[in-house]
Amino acid sequence: MSKNYVTSESSKKTLYIFGIGGTGSRVLKAMTLLLASGCQLEGGFSQIVPIIIDPDKSNGDLNRTKHLMRLYQEIRSEIEEPSDFFQQEISSIENIENDESKSISEHNFQWDLKDVDSGTFEDYIKFQTLNSDEGNNDQNFVKLFYSQKNLDSSLNVGFKGNPNMGVVVLNQITESDQFRNFAKGFNDGDAIFIINSIFGGTGAAGLPLLLKNIRKNEKVVNYRKIRDSKVGAITFLPYFSVDNKTDADNEIKSETFDEKAKVALSYYNRTIINNNELNAIYFIGNKTKGKNYVYSVGGESQKNHANFLELIGALSIFDFCSNEYFKDHDKTVVKEFGLKKTYSNVIDLFHLDDSTRNKVEEHLAKFKVFSDYLTSKYGLSKAKNVSRWTKNKLNRRFPVAKSRNSTLTESFFDSPEFSTIESFVNYFNRWIKEMEDNNPSFIPFRNKSSQNQPLDILSNDKTFNSKRYKLLDQSNNRFITKKEIIGSKKEKTLKYTILIRLFEHSLKELYTKNRENYER
C-alpha cells in the first residue's frame, strides 16, 4: 500500500510529545487522563502524537501507559464530535503516515530500539572486534569511558542510570523507519515537546540527542521545518527515592541521584540552554524525594505509584502550548514550578495558582464523578433498568411508534464495549488514589463540609450515601430525550456517543449549580 503523507495545507496542527524513559511514560499517562477529562491544548493543536522511547519493553509503567492510550483511542473513535470528555485527538506516527489509517495499536506508541532485547552493552558496541594489540589497543581506550560493569550490563531493562551508555544506544533512533516517518509527516506549525528525567540513564541521554537531530541534522527529511519548529521540554530533577537493597551491588542507588542531576544540569546549561536549542524548558523536582518506591531495576515490576509532580509535568505541556511569549524570543525561557501557598501534608487544587487551577478543576471534578458513578455500588449498579435513562421507549407521552430508544440499557452495560469504558475510568480512579497515597499527597477535592466543594456529590467523607447520586440520575432522566443527546431516529450513533454526551450535559449542569453555591 502506498503511503499518503498529508500536505501542509490540509494537515492538522500536531504536537509531537517524546516521552523518554520511565518518567516520560508516567507523565504521558497523566496527560492522557487530563485529556480524557476534557482538558484541551491551546495554540490550535488539533492532535497530539505521543512517542515513547525506552529500551525496557517490559517496563510496567510503560505498558500501563500504552494500554491507557489505546483505550483512549478506542473510546474517542466511537464518539461523534466529542466536545468535552475525550475531545483532544491522540494519534500515532502510523496514523499520521497514512491519513486513511484508523489502526489502533499499543505498539504504535513506542519506537523500537534494535539489538537491546538480548545481549550486553559489550555485545552492542562489538567490543570483542576492537583491536587489542599492544600499542594500538582500542579496547583499553573504550575502557576509559566504560567500566567492566557497564560492558557486562544487559540492555533489555534500560541503562540503569548510565547516560554514557544510553547516548550510544539511542543514537540509532534517527536511522529508524519511525524517525523517518516522523520527519516526513512534519508540517509547518507543528511543534515538539520532550519529557525526560535528568538523574537516570535513558532520560538524561535522550534529550541532548534528540535536540541535536532536531536542530542540526541536515540529513533529516523536512530538516528546515523541524529545525525551525517550536520545541519545549520538561526535565525532572530527583523527585523520588527507591528502597535500599541489602545487596551492596544494587545498580540503582538513590544517593547518587543528586550528583548525577548536578552533572547533567551543568551540561544542559552549557549546551542546550546557552545555545538556545529550546524555546522553553521546565524544571521540577522534590528535595524531600517523598515516599520510597519499591526497588526495581526495570521490567514488569517497575510500576511506580503516580506522583503529583508527574501531573504538573503534564500541565507544563499545556502551558507550553498556551504561551506565545517565546515565539520570537532569542533565548531559551527557563521555568520552574512553585505552589501558591505552603502545605504541610496534603496538596489540593487550591495550592495551585489560579490560572492552573482553572484549567483543570472543572474537568477533573466532572470526570471524577463520572468515574465514581460508573463503578460505585451506589451509582450505576442501582440505576440500571430502574432510572428512566437506562430504559427503552423514552418518550412515553408519544405513541410507541414515535418513541426513541436509549442504547444505555442493561445489555449495553453488560457488554464488552462498556468494559472498555470501565477499564479506562478504573485507571483514572487508581491514578487519583495513587497520588493521594504518595508523598507529597495530592487530594484534588478535600471536603470540610458539603458546601465547601465545587461539586457537592464529590464528597469522599464517611457519610457518603446514594442520595448524592440521585441528583445525577434526575439530571440524566431530563437530558436523555434531548436531540443533542440521542440524535435523530435516522442517525447511526457511534456506540459511546450517548453515554458521553449524557454525562457531559448532566455534569455540566450540576457543576455550574454547585460552583455558584460554592462561590457564594
Side-chain angles (χ1 to χ4, degrees):
M1 179 183 294
S2 63
K3 297 177 180 178
N4 303 316
Y5 291 98
V6 188
T7 63
S8 59
E9 291 77 17
S10 63
S11 68
K12 301 173 181 179
K13 189 174 177 182
T14 301
L15 176 69
Y16 294 89
I17 305 176
F18 289 87
I20 308 175
T23 299
S25 289
R26 291 189 291 274
V27 174
L28 281 172
K29 179 177 73 174
M31 180 75 176
T32 303
L33 292 167
L34 286 175
L35 294 178
S37 73
C39 297
Q40 298 169 40
L41 298 179
E42 298 179 32
F45 294 100
S46 60
Q47 64 180 344
I48 69 168
V49 175
I51 300 166
I52 298 174
I53 299 175
D54 195 335
D56 186 1
K57 293 181 180 179
S58 61
N59 182 285
D61 289 325
L62 178 150
N63 287 313
R64 285 194 299 183
T65 297
K66 291 197 300 182
H67 183 234
L68 181 70
M69 292 192 294
R70 179 178 66 79
L71 291 175
Y72 184 103
Q73 281 191 308
E74 287 182 3
I75 294 168
R76 190 187 184 281
S77 68
E78 291 291 339
I79 304 172
E80 292 169 4
E81 300 179 356
S83 60
D84 192 355
F85 294 168
F86 300 95
Q87 179 176 353
Q88 194 83 49
E89 184 177 355
I90 294 180
S91 300
S92 65
I93 293 295
E94 282 68 18
N95 300 137
I96 301 297
E97 180 185 358
N98 183 352
D99 60 315
E100 296 180 357
S101 172
K102 302 297 181 183
S103 65
I104 296 174
S105 170
E106 294 178 19
H107 176 73
N108 292 342
F109 293 119
Q110 183 181 12
W111 283 5
D112 288 329
L113 293 172
K114 297 179 180 178
D115 303 323
V116 298
D117 292 335
S118 60
T120 63
F121 184 66
E122 177 177 297
D123 298 328
Y124 185 86
I125 63 173
K126 298 180 173 57
F127 179 80
Q128 295 301 331
T129 67
L130 299 177
N131 196 326
S132 58
D133 295 340
E134 188 175 350
N136 188 25
N137 196 321
D138 293 333
Q139 290 187 358
N140 282 344
F141 181 75
V142 168
K143 287 183 177 181
L144 293 174
F145 302 97
Y146 301 103
S147 67
Q148 190 60 48
K149 192 171 184 178
N150 290 155
L151 294 172
D152 293 339
S153 181
S154 173
L155 298 177
N156 63 351
V157 290
F159 310 120
K160 304 168 189 173
N162 296 288
N164 57 333
M165 296 166 55
V167 73
V168 173
V169 179
L170 294 178
N171 202 48
Q172 65 172 276
I173 290 173
T174 54
E175 301 301 319
S176 68
D177 290 339
Q178 292 147 317
F179 190 89
R180 282 189 283 268
N181 291 338
F182 151 74
K184 287 178 183 178
F186 201 92
N187 287 306
D188 291 323
D190 291 349
I192 297 168
F193 197 90
I194 303 168
I195 307 161
N196 78 310
S197 66
I198 205 170
F199 55 97
T202 307
L207 177 60
L209 184 67
L210 271 177
L211 282 176
K212 180 186 75 173
N213 286 285
I214 287 168
R215 298 301 198 195
K216 298 176 181 178
N217 190 347
E218 297 184 11
K219 296 179 181 179
V220 172
V221 177
N222 276 334
Y223 163 66
R224 294 189 183 280
K225 290 182 181 179
I226 297 174
R227 180 198 64 187
D228 297 338
S229 66
K230 304 305 174 187
V231 184
I234 182 165
T235 291
F236 279 77
L237 303 171
Y239 70 103
F240 63 82
S241 300
V242 295
D243 288 330
N244 290 324
K245 288 187 67 180
T246 54
D247 180 3
D249 293 328
N250 60 301
E251 298 175 273
I252 308 297
K253 298 179 180 180
S254 299
E255 58 266 28
T256 67
F257 286 176
D258 286 343
E259 189 60 35
K260 287 179 179 179
K262 288 177 184 178
V263 172
L265 195 57
S266 174
Y267 175 76
Y268 281 21
N269 190 55
R270 293 195 315 270
T271 55
I272 294 171
I273 296 175
N274 284 350
N275 294 335
N276 303 312
E277 294 183 6
L278 286 167
N279 295 92
I281 185 167
Y282 298 75
F283 287 105
I284 190 168
N286 180 11
K287 287 184 178 179
T288 66
K289 308 297 190 301
K291 181 185 292 187
N292 280 8
Y293 289 170
V294 175
Y295 179 88
S296 173
V297 74
E300 188 177 349
S301 64
Q302 186 171 318
K303 292 181 179 179
N304 295 336
H305 277 194
N307 193 300
F308 169 68
L309 275 71
E310 293 151 7
L311 167 63
I312 299 304
L315 289 175
S316 71
I317 303 173
F318 289 88
D319 183 83
F320 173 75
C321 293
S322 64
N323 276 294
E324 299 295 321
Y325 58 82
F326 57 80
K327 252 190 172 181
D328 301 314
H329 210 287
D330 293 332
K331 294 185 178 180
T332 297
V333 176
V334 179
K335 301 193 76 174
E336 294 181 338
F337 176 79
L339 295 173
K340 183 178 178 180
K341 55 184 180 179
T342 59
Y343 74 98
S344 53
N345 297 315
V346 178
I347 298 171
D348 62 28
L349 286 174
F350 290 91
H351 286 89
L352 308 180
D353 70 88
D354 292 345
S355 62
T356 303
R357 179 170 64 85
N358 290 337
K359 279 187 174 80
V360 301
E361 181 180 56
E362 177 179 348
H363 299 299
L364 286 178
K366 292 189 298 186
F367 205 79
K368 181 73 171 95
V369 177
F370 175 66
S371 301
D372 283 347
Y373 182 90
L374 294 185
T375 55
S376 169
K377 64 180 180 180
Y378 299 116
L380 177 63
S381 61
K382 282 200 168 187
K384 280 192 294 186
N385 210 30
V386 175
S387 293
R388 187 160 60 89
W389 67 273
T390 68
K391 295 181 178 181
N392 279 333
K393 309 304 180 187
L394 298 171
N395 295 337
R396 293 180 177 177
R397 65 183 182 274
F398 295 119
V400 173
K402 292 185 178 180
S403 295
R404 289 177 293 173
N405 293 338
S406 170
T407 60
L408 305 180
T409 59
E410 194 166 10
S411 61
F412 170 77
F413 290 116
D414 292 338
S415 69
E417 287 79 9
F418 181 66
S419 67
T420 300
I421 295 277
E422 281 187 304
S423 295
F424 194 95
V425 299
N426 281 330
Y427 266 113
F428 181 86
N429 284 333
R430 282 199 301 272
W431 177 62
I432 295 290
K433 187 66 169 64
E434 286 178 5
M435 287 192 291
E436 177 183 339
D437 293 340
N438 215 321
N439 186 5
S441 174
F442 177 60
I443 305 177
F445 307 99
R446 287 198 286 171
N447 300 332
K448 296 177 182 176
S449 73
S450 62
Q451 295 303 314
N452 279 347
Q453 284 306 306
L455 198 54
D456 189 58
I457 57 176
L458 261 178
S459 177
N460 59 4
D461 61 34
K462 293 180 180 179
T463 63
F464 180 86
N465 57 60
S466 60
K467 291 181 180 178
R468 301 275 174 82
Y469 282 145
K470 286 184 178 179
L471 295 172
L472 187 50
D473 281 325
Q474 291 166 3
S475 184
N476 281 351
N477 287 339
R478 288 198 310 275
F479 275 116
I480 189 62
T481 57
K482 302 288 186 183
K483 185 176 180 180
E484 63 265 28
I485 302 294
I486 200 167
S488 66
K489 288 183 68 175
K490 296 180 181 179
E491 185 179 276
K492 183 181 179 182
T493 306
L494 296 177
K495 57 190 173 187
Y496 300 128
T497 301
I498 294 177
L499 178 70
I500 297 299
R501 284 182 183 171
L502 178 62
F503 276 85
E504 284 174 348
H505 279 68
S506 293
L507 290 169
K508 179 70 174 179
E509 177 184 75
L510 290 170
Y511 180 87
T512 302
K513 288 179 179 179
N514 281 272
R515 183 66 180 176
E516 289 171 355
N517 293 333
Y518 173 74
E519 290 179 340
R520 284 201 294 269

PDB file of all heavy atoms in Angstrom, residues 61-72:
ATOM      1  N   ASP A  61       5.432   0.568  33.993  1.00  0.00           N
ATOM      2  CA  ASP A  61       4.902   1.914  33.785  1.00  0.00           C
ATOM      3  C   ASP A  61       4.639   2.181  32.316  1.00  0.00           C
ATOM      4  O   ASP A  61       3.619   2.756  31.936  1.00  0.00           O
ATOM      5  CB  ASP A  61       5.882   2.963  34.332  1.00  0.00           C
ATOM      6  CG  ASP A  61       5.937   2.959  35.849  1.00  0.00           C
ATOM      7  OD1 ASP A  61       4.889   2.724  36.477  1.00  0.00           O
ATOM      8  OD2 ASP A  61       7.028   3.186  36.403  1.00  0.00           O
ATOM      9  N   LEU A  62       5.568   1.761  31.477  1.00  0.00           N
ATOM     10  CA  LEU A  62       5.432   1.970  30.038  1.00  0.00           C
ATOM     11  C   LEU A  62       4.212   1.244  29.483  1.00  0.00           C
ATOM     12  O   LEU A  62       3.407   1.827  28.734  1.00  0.00           O
ATOM     13  CB  LEU A  62       6.711   1.483  29.341  1.00  0.00           C
ATOM     14  CG  LEU A  62       6.787   1.563  27.810  1.00  0.00           C
ATOM     15  CD1 LEU A  62       8.233   1.762  27.379  1.00  0.00           C
ATOM     16  CD2 LEU A  62       6.263   0.284  27.159  1.00  0.00           C
ATOM     17  N   ASN A  63       4.039  -0.007  29.850  1.00  0.00           N
ATOM     18  CA  ASN A  63       2.943  -0.798  29.273  1.00  0.00           C
ATOM     19  C   ASN A  63       1.577  -0.352  29.788  1.00  0.00           C
ATOM     20  O   ASN A  63       0.582  -0.421  29.065  1.00  0.00           O
ATOM     21  CB  ASN A  63       3.182  -2.290  29.538  1.00  0.00           C
ATOM     22  CG  ASN A  63       4.298  -2.840  28.667  1.00  0.00           C
ATOM     23  OD1 ASN A  63       4.324  -2.602  27.473  1.00  0.00           O
ATOM     24  ND2 ASN A  63       5.232  -3.561  29.257  1.00  0.00           N
ATOM     25  N   ARG A  64       1.516   0.134  31.034  1.00  0.00           N
ATOM     26  CA  ARG A  64       0.255   0.698  31.510  1.00  0.00           C
ATOM     27  C   ARG A  64      -0.108   1.937  30.702  1.00  0.00           C
ATOM     28  O   ARG A  64      -1.275   2.142  30.348  1.00  0.00           O
ATOM     29  CB  ARG A  64       0.362   1.061  33.002  1.00  0.00           C
ATOM     30  CG  ARG A  64       0.328  -0.136  33.930  1.00  0.00           C
ATOM     31  CD  ARG A  64       0.085   0.270  35.374  1.00  0.00           C
ATOM     32  NE  ARG A  64       1.136   1.137  35.900  1.00  0.00           N
ATOM     33  CZ  ARG A  64       1.164   1.574  37.157  1.00  0.00           C
ATOM     34  NH1 ARG A  64       0.193   1.240  38.005  1.00  0.00           N
ATOM     35  NH2 ARG A  64       2.141   2.341  37.595  1.00  0.00           N
ATOM     36  N   THR A  65       0.876   2.749  30.391  1.00  0.00           N
ATOM     37  CA  THR A  65       0.612   3.973  29.623  1.00  0.00           C
ATOM     38  C   THR A  65       0.184   3.642  28.204  1.00  0.00           C
ATOM     39  O   THR A  65      -0.768   4.248  27.670  1.00  0.00           O
ATOM     40  CB  THR A  65       1.866   4.868  29.600  1.00  0.00           C
ATOM     41  OG1 THR A  65       2.169   5.277  30.943  1.00  0.00           O
ATOM     42  CG2 THR A  65       1.645   6.096  28.740  1.00  0.00           C
ATOM     43  N   LYS A  66       0.846   2.698  27.568  1.00  0.00           N
ATOM     44  CA  LYS A  66       0.459   2.324  26.201  1.00  0.00           C
ATOM     45  C   LYS A  66      -0.955   1.767  26.166  1.00  0.00           C
ATOM     46  O   LYS A  66      -1.738   2.073  25.256  1.00  0.00           O
ATOM     47  CB  LYS A  66       1.452   1.298  25.631  1.00  0.00           C
ATOM     48  CG  LYS A  66       2.832   1.870  25.360  1.00  0.00           C
ATOM     49  CD  LYS A  66       3.661   0.975  24.439  1.00  0.00           C
ATOM     50  CE  LYS A  66       3.886  -0.392  25.014  1.00  0.00           C
ATOM     51  NZ  LYS A  66       4.725  -1.233  24.139  1.00  0.00           N
ATOM     52  N   HIS A  67      -1.293   0.942  27.151  1.00  0.00           N
ATOM     53  CA  HIS A  67      -2.638   0.374  27.209  1.00  0.00           C
ATOM     54  C   HIS A  67      -3.676   1.477  27.411  1.00  0.00           C
ATOM     55  O   HIS A  67      -4.735   1.487  26.773  1.00  0.00           O
ATOM     56  CB  HIS A  67      -2.723  -0.651  28.337  1.00  0.00           C
ATOM     57  CG  HIS A  67      -4.044  -1.341  28.430  1.00  0.00           C
ATOM     58  ND1 HIS A  67      -4.795  -1.374  29.586  1.00  0.00           N
ATOM     59  CD2 HIS A  67      -4.777  -2.013  27.496  1.00  0.00           C
ATOM     60  CE1 HIS A  67      -5.928  -2.034  29.365  1.00  0.00           C
ATOM     61  NE2 HIS A  67      -5.932  -2.430  28.109  1.00  0.00           N
ATOM     62  N   LEU A  68      -3.369   2.419  28.286  1.00  0.00           N
ATOM     63  CA  LEU A  68      -4.284   3.529  28.545  1.00  0.00           C
ATOM     64  C   LEU A  68      -4.514   4.349  27.277  1.00  0.00           C
ATOM     65  O   LEU A  68      -5.655   4.724  26.960  1.00  0.00           O
ATOM     66  CB  LEU A  68      -3.708   4.411  29.653  1.00  0.00           C
ATOM     67  CG  LEU A  68      -4.551   5.613  30.058  1.00  0.00           C
ATOM     68  CD1 LEU A  68      -5.819   5.177  30.784  1.00  0.00           C
ATOM     69  CD2 LEU A  68      -3.730   6.559  30.955  1.00  0.00           C
ATOM     70  N   MET A  69      -3.454   4.644  26.540  1.00  0.00           N
ATOM     71  CA  MET A  69      -3.603   5.454  25.322  1.00  0.00           C
ATOM     72  C   MET A  69      -4.390   4.692  24.255  1.00  0.00           C
ATOM     73  O   MET A  69      -5.144   5.295  23.484  1.00  0.00           O
ATOM     74  CB  MET A  69      -2.230   5.897  24.807  1.00  0.00           C
ATOM     75  CG  MET A  69      -1.566   6.901  25.741  1.00  0.00           C
ATOM     76  SD  MET A  69      -0.100   7.735  25.063  1.00  0.00           S
ATOM     77  CE  MET A  69       1.044   6.357  24.909  1.00  0.00           C
ATOM     78  N   ARG A  70      -4.221   3.376  24.206  1.00  0.00           N
ATOM     79  CA  ARG A  70      -5.028   2.590  23.260  1.00  0.00           C
ATOM     80  C   ARG A  70      -6.503   2.649  23.636  1.00  0.00           C
ATOM     81  O   ARG A  70      -7.371   2.816  22.765  1.00  0.00           O
ATOM     82  CB  ARG A  70      -4.557   1.137  23.227  1.00  0.00           C
ATOM     83  CG  ARG A  70      -5.387   0.267  22.285  1.00  0.00           C
ATOM     84  CD  ARG A  70      -4.888  -1.152  22.223  1.00  0.00           C
ATOM     85  NE  ARG A  70      -5.035  -1.865  23.480  1.00  0.00           N
ATOM     86  CZ  ARG A  70      -6.167  -2.391  23.934  1.00  0.00           C
ATOM     87  NH1 ARG A  70      -7.296  -2.255  23.230  1.00  0.00           N
ATOM     88  NH2 ARG A  70      -6.211  -3.047  25.078  1.00  0.00           N
ATOM     89  N   LEU A  71      -6.815   2.523  24.914  1.00  0.00           N
ATOM     90  CA  LEU A  71      -8.205   2.632  25.355  1.00  0.00           C
ATOM     91  C   LEU A  71      -8.767   4.006  24.988  1.00  0.00           C
ATOM     92  O   LEU A  71      -9.920   4.118  24.551  1.00  0.00           O
ATOM     93  CB  LEU A  71      -8.302   2.420  26.862  1.00  0.00           C
ATOM     94  CG  LEU A  71      -8.031   1.006  27.402  1.00  0.00           C
ATOM     95  CD1 LEU A  71      -8.056   1.011  28.928  1.00  0.00           C
ATOM     96  CD2 LEU A  71      -9.026  -0.002  26.851  1.00  0.00           C
ATOM     97  N   TYR A  72      -7.969   5.042  25.181  1.00  0.00           N
ATOM     98  CA  TYR A  72      -8.404   6.400  24.838  1.00  0.00           C
ATOM     99  C   TYR A  72      -8.791   6.471  23.362  1.00  0.00           C
ATOM    100  O   TYR A  72      -9.846   7.001  23.004  1.00  0.00           O
ATOM    101  CB  TYR A  72      -7.282   7.394  25.147  1.00  0.00           C
ATOM    102  CG  TYR A  72      -7.656   8.853  24.926  1.00  0.00           C
ATOM    103  CD1 TYR A  72      -7.942   9.675  26.005  1.00  0.00           C
ATOM    104  CD2 TYR A  72      -7.708   9.410  23.650  1.00  0.00           C
ATOM    105  CE1 TYR A  72      -8.282  11.015  25.826  1.00  0.00           C
ATOM    106  CE2 TYR A  72      -8.055  10.733  23.448  1.00  0.00           C
ATOM    107  CZ  TYR A  72      -8.332  11.540  24.543  1.00  0.00           C
ATOM    108  OH  TYR A  72      -8.675  12.864  24.342  1.00  0.00           O
TER     109      TYR A  72
END
